[in-house]
Amino acid sequence: MMTIAAILNSISQPRFATYQSSVFKGVTEEECLGVYLWNKQLAGAFLPALQIIEVSLRNAIWTAKIKYEENVIEETSEFHDWPKLKDQIDSQWFVTVMTQSNNCNSYNAIENAKRQIKKEEKLNTTENLIAKLTFGYWVSMVDKKYEYDRASYLSLWPHLLPKVFPYALDKKNGNPLSLNRIGADLRDINTLRNRLSHHEPLWHSKKTYSVEQAINKVARDYYKCLEVIRWINPSNLKLLSIIENTQKMNELCNPHALWKNKQLPAGLSNLHSNQSEGWLSSALLETRHKGGIISLDTVKGFAMILSKIDGKKFIAQAKNFAGGLQIYNLGDIVTFEPENKNSGRHPVASSVKPI
């Protein structure tokens, strides 16, 4: 039997105390737990927008910098020198410019990213470094310290602003938004992302007095995410439309959704805690292929199987045959688990079994 007390012990009382705020008028532990569940659903709705911002921001900054360097070459050099000079552009400029002395925080972030890449047995390619550096790392670049007349080791702004944020325009007069405004919004979003990562209440603010204010804070933060996505590339908003993400946020950002969540935990005591038992077997899809053995070499210890599912040839080593390769013959029909090829001409068949 699942109890509220057991759940609260796993959440931790200090963390749960945040949800006992008078803002939501939660008079019972069940209702406070309902607010906690509401916050979890909000976090799920924020995540796709935050992921789009992170990926599009880092790629936009990197691409804009490279294109700017290429444009400088085209404007200052002879045409026949362009290929050679462009090949000399440092694709890892975002890493090589940072040192322990000029930017300790960024340098440490880079070293941490390199350690993670090494741990995952990957190469320190430009693509891997871009992806592994944190969202906060890229947000920190959208700052006036990297303006042309201030920067000592890296110049990004304002010449890259129209390339990174081409649609960041004031809605009243159509003028480009300032670097300070864009950077401030990005820092707010990074704070929101960190709150989400640490499972903190997304609605929480020291100034929040009422439910309506809490909901409005969430709505404004989500709108800020939508705006930043639009500033970089409005087409990316369609990705949220496809999965009806903004619709989900709309459904959550109203008093009725909060009220409904506050009622949910009341029935917890009647639920069984072993709902996970048997779930995996009912959820897994059939992946095995059926095929015929079309070649077999017991000396070298391998066989070739032609799949009846997709008509492809799979190679199988002797160790992957149930009962040993010696009990199989040409033409035998078997089932096997297909695996994407790591090397060689053919994908691999594992866990081969006779019909």
Side-chain angles (χ1 to χ4, degrees), residues 245-262:
N245 199 77
T246 301
Q247 179 180 329
K248 294 174 187 175
M249 186 61 79
N250 287 342
E251 293 170 355
L252 289 168
C253 286
N254 67 75
H256 177 73
L258 178 58
W259 173 85
K260 186 169 65 175
N261 275 276
K262 288 171 72 173

Side-chain angles (χ1 to χ4, degrees), residues 335-354:
T335 67
F336 62 92
E337 191 70 34
E339 295 182 4
N340 199 22
K341 61 180 179 181
N342 295 319
S343 61
R345 296 172 53 194
H346 302 287
V348 173
S350 65
S351 184
V352 183
K353 298 178 182 179

Side-chain angles (χ1 to χ4, degrees), residues 18 45 80 114 141 161 194 207 229 277 291 295 343 352:
T18 309
H80 59 81
K114 288 179 178 178
M141 286 190 174
L161 266 180
N194 290 338
K207 296 180 179 180
I229 292 172
E277 294 181 11
S295 68
S343 61
V352 183

